[in-house]
């Protein structure tokens, strides 16, 4: 896929990131309530990290390694979070997401992740998408089940330097 198409849902527009999003990413992802439950967001989230991350995501897309979307409110164009498929291979991809704390509990993640999963399976042609969350991250588990994934068991991985057990889910069609 040469360019990353925009995706539209009822309330949201999913679009590629641009470097001008960096201050907003730093403000939202720099919140400990957001980073604590993820393996990949550093804390503290220092100046320059958002710019590097955005630039690296564009490179990853061009290499076929990841598809990362900025989740924005269609009505106001406000950036509220991100959804992504990473670790892409011909066989599968890893679904990830975060939504800025002020926007939690409005169904935005369910809406955005659902659209990306449909795109990944149907347009992008991935045979399988998997998703993982820390046991205590109940909202993330709800999102994954809301969008049609099946629970398959646990895996162990490194989260912020500690070995942690994650719940693992898969969806094929
Ligand atoms: C997980 C996260 C993305 C969910 O975003 P969101 O937009 O609030 O999700 P939704 O509004 O779509 O809600 C998803 C479900 O979680 C439930 N939920 C929301 N906040 C909750 C809370 N504090 N406690 C329990 N359940 C909660 C909702 O009720 C909904 O479940 P339901 O459909 O059964 O009602 C958001 O909490 C977040 O960014 N967390 C930090 C980063 C993170 O955990 N990323 C995922 C790593 S695996």
């Amino acid at each position: 896929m040469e360019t990353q198409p925009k995706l539209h849902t009822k309330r949201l527009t999913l679009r590629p990131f641009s470097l001008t999003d960096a201050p907003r990413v730093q403000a939202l992802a720099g919140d400990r309530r957001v980073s604590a439950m993820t393996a990949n967001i550093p804390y503290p989230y220092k100046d320059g990290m958002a710019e590097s991350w955005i630039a690296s995501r564009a490179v990853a897309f061009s290499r076929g390694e990841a598809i990362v979307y900025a989740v924005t409110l269609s009505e106001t164009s406000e950036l509220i979070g991100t959804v992504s498929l990473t670790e892409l291979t011909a066989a599968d991809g890893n679904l990830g997401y975060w939504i800025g704390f002020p926007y939690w509990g409005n169904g935005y993640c369910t809406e955005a992740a659902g659209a990306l999963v449909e795109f990944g399976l149907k347009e992008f042609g991935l045979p399988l998408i998997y998703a993982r969350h820390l046991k205590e991250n109940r909202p993330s588990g709800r999102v994954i089940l809301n969008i049609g994934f099946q629970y398959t068991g646990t895996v162990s991985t490194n989260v912020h330097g500690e070995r942690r057990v994650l719940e693992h889910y898969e969806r094929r069609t």
Side-chain angles (χ1 to χ4, degrees), residues 18-30 45 47 50-51 54 79:
S18 93
L19 281 178
T20 54
D21 295 320
R24 181 82 174 143
V25 169
Q26 184 178 11
L28 295 176
Y45 202 101
D47 289 351
E51 284 83 353
I54 290 168
L79 171 61

Side-chain angles (χ1 to χ4, degrees), residues 3-140:
T3 53
Q4 197 176 330
K6 281 188 183 177
L7 306 179
H8 298 276
T9 68
K10 202 163 146 239
R11 297 174 295 170
L12 306 172
T13 300
L14 277 51
R15 59 155 175 83
F17 276 99
S18 93
L19 281 178
T20 54
D21 295 320
R24 181 82 174 143
V25 169
Q26 184 178 11
L28 295 176
D31 185 325
R32 190 73 183 126
R33 290 167 292 202
V34 171
S35 60
M37 291 290 164
T38 70
N40 303 326
I41 306 178
Y43 187 84
Y45 202 101
K46 297 190 182 137
D47 289 351
M49 282 178 168
E51 284 83 353
S52 309
W53 178 74
I54 290 168
S56 76
R57 299 303 76 195
V59 172
F61 177 78
S62 68
R63 291 185 182 151
E65 293 165 2
I67 311 172
V68 180
Y69 278 106
V71 178
T72 68
L73 299 180
S74 301
E75 220 171 272
T76 59
S77 301
E78 247 170 297
L79 171 61
I80 63 162
T82 182
V83 286
S84 59
L85 293 170
T86 59
E87 296 164 54
L88 291 174
T89 69
D92 58 22
N94 181 4
L95 174 67
Y97 39 75
W98 58 260
I99 296 290
F101 179 72
Y103 305 94
W104 287 8
N106 292 298
Y108 290 139
C109 190
T110 298
E111 200 169 311
L116 180 58
V117 165
E118 293 304 315
F119 172 77
L121 295 170
K122 294 181 184 146
E123 323 278 323
F124 201 73
L126 281 174
L128 183 148
I129 296 175
Y130 57 92
R132 296 165 173 179
H133 69 81
L134 287 167
K135 203 176 191 75
E136 62 270 31
N137 195 353
R138 191 180 131 71
S140 185

